[in-house]
PDB file of all heavy atoms in Angstrom:
ATOM      1  N   ARG A  64      -0.241   4.120   7.368  1.00 94.00           N
ATOM      2  CA  ARG A  64       0.340   5.310   8.002  1.00 94.00           C
ATOM      3  C   ARG A  64       1.016   6.236   6.995  1.00 94.00           C
ATOM      4  O   ARG A  64       2.087   6.788   7.243  1.00 94.00           O
ATOM      5  CB  ARG A  64       1.324   4.901   9.107  1.00 94.00           C
ATOM      6  CG  ARG A  64       0.686   4.090  10.222  1.00 94.00           C
ATOM      7  CD  ARG A  64       1.685   3.733  11.305  1.00 94.00           C
ATOM      8  NE  ARG A  64       1.053   2.947  12.360  1.00 94.00           N
ATOM      9  CZ  ARG A  64       1.690   2.492  13.426  1.00 94.00           C
ATOM     10  NH1 ARG A  64       2.980   2.759  13.589  1.00 94.00           N
ATOM     11  NH2 ARG A  64       1.050   1.773  14.342  1.00 94.00           N
ATOM     12  N   MET A  65       0.346   6.404   5.869  1.00 92.00           N
ATOM     13  CA  MET A  65       0.810   7.368   4.869  1.00 92.00           C
ATOM     14  C   MET A  65      -0.412   7.956   4.177  1.00 92.00           C
ATOM     15  O   MET A  65      -1.362   7.238   3.865  1.00 92.00           O
ATOM     16  CB  MET A  65       1.739   6.723   3.839  1.00 92.00           C
ATOM     17  CG  MET A  65       2.229   7.704   2.765  1.00 92.00           C
ATOM     18  SD  MET A  65       3.388   6.964   1.587  1.00 92.00           S
ATOM     19  CE  MET A  65       4.857   6.854   2.615  1.00 92.00           C
ATOM     20  N   LYS A  68      -0.961  13.144  -0.793  1.00 83.00           N
ATOM     21  CA  LYS A  68      -0.665  14.567  -0.815  1.00 83.00           C
ATOM     22  C   LYS A  68      -1.798  15.313  -1.509  1.00 83.00           C
ATOM     23  O   LYS A  68      -2.557  14.749  -2.286  1.00 83.00           O
ATOM     24  CB  LYS A  68       0.647  14.831  -1.569  1.00 83.00           C
ATOM     25  CG  LYS A  68       1.896  14.357  -0.875  1.00 83.00           C
ATOM     26  CD  LYS A  68       3.119  14.714  -1.719  1.00 83.00           C
ATOM     27  CE  LYS A  68       4.413  14.271  -1.056  1.00 83.00           C
ATOM     28  NZ  LYS A  68       5.596  14.595  -1.901  1.00 83.00           N
ATOM     29  N   PHE A 122       0.966  35.694 -21.523  1.00 95.00           N
ATOM     30  CA  PHE A 122       0.442  35.706 -20.151  1.00 95.00           C
ATOM     31  C   PHE A 122      -1.071  35.904 -20.104  1.00 95.00           C
ATOM     32  O   PHE A 122      -1.613  36.428 -19.130  1.00 95.00           O
ATOM     33  CB  PHE A 122       1.164  36.762 -19.301  1.00 95.00           C
ATOM     34  CG  PHE A 122       2.646  36.555 -19.241  1.00 95.00           C
ATOM     35  CD1 PHE A 122       3.504  37.350 -19.989  1.00 95.00           C
ATOM     36  CD2 PHE A 122       3.196  35.537 -18.475  1.00 95.00           C
ATOM     37  CE1 PHE A 122       4.868  37.133 -19.966  1.00 95.00           C
ATOM     38  CE2 PHE A 122       4.560  35.321 -18.440  1.00 95.00           C
ATOM     39  CZ  PHE A 122       5.405  36.121 -19.192  1.00 95.00           C
ATOM     40  N   SER A 146     -25.162   2.469 -11.842  1.00 64.00           N
ATOM     41  CA  SER A 146     -24.777   3.155 -13.066  1.00 64.00           C
ATOM     42  C   SER A 146     -23.398   3.779 -12.908  1.00 64.00           C
ATOM     43  O   SER A 146     -23.027   4.222 -11.817  1.00 64.00           O
ATOM     44  CB  SER A 146     -25.787   4.251 -13.399  1.00 64.00           C
ATOM     45  OG  SER A 146     -25.849   5.206 -12.354  1.00 64.00           O
ATOM     46  N   TYR A 159     -19.297  23.933 -13.608  1.00 96.00           N
ATOM     47  CA  TYR A 159     -19.686  24.557 -14.880  1.00 96.00           C
ATOM     48  C   TYR A 159     -19.761  26.078 -14.725  1.00 96.00           C
ATOM     49  O   TYR A 159     -19.244  26.822 -15.557  1.00 96.00           O
ATOM     50  CB  TYR A 159     -21.045  24.024 -15.349  1.00 96.00           C
ATOM     51  CG  TYR A 159     -21.568  24.772 -16.556  1.00 96.00           C
ATOM     52  CD1 TYR A 159     -21.259  24.352 -17.846  1.00 96.00           C
ATOM     53  CD2 TYR A 159     -22.332  25.929 -16.397  1.00 96.00           C
ATOM     54  CE1 TYR A 159     -21.697  25.064 -18.950  1.00 96.00           C
ATOM     55  CE2 TYR A 159     -22.770  26.651 -17.500  1.00 96.00           C
ATOM     56  CZ  TYR A 159     -22.461  26.207 -18.770  1.00 96.00           C
ATOM     57  OH  TYR A 159     -22.895  26.929 -19.866  1.00 96.00           O
ATOM     58  N   ARG A 208     -21.559   5.609 -29.652  1.00 95.00           N
ATOM     59  CA  ARG A 208     -22.086   5.740 -31.018  1.00 95.00           C
ATOM     60  C   ARG A 208     -21.840   7.154 -31.558  1.00 95.00           C
ATOM     61  O   ARG A 208     -21.551   7.336 -32.735  1.00 95.00           O
ATOM     62  CB  ARG A 208     -23.580   5.421 -31.036  1.00 95.00           C
ATOM     63  CG  ARG A 208     -24.245   5.575 -32.399  1.00 95.00           C
ATOM     64  CD  ARG A 208     -25.679   5.082 -32.357  1.00 95.00           C
ATOM     65  NE  ARG A 208     -26.445   5.702 -31.293  1.00 95.00           N
ATOM     66  CZ  ARG A 208     -27.022   6.909 -31.389  1.00 95.00           C
ATOM     67  NH1 ARG A 208     -26.888   7.626 -32.489  1.00 95.00           N
ATOM     68  NH2 ARG A 208     -27.720   7.394 -30.375  1.00 95.00           N
TER      69      ARG A 208
END
Side-chain angles (χ1 to χ4, degrees):
R64 299 181 180 180
M65 179 177 286
K68 290 181 179 179
F122 302 104
S146 60
Y159 172 90
R208 178 173 53 82

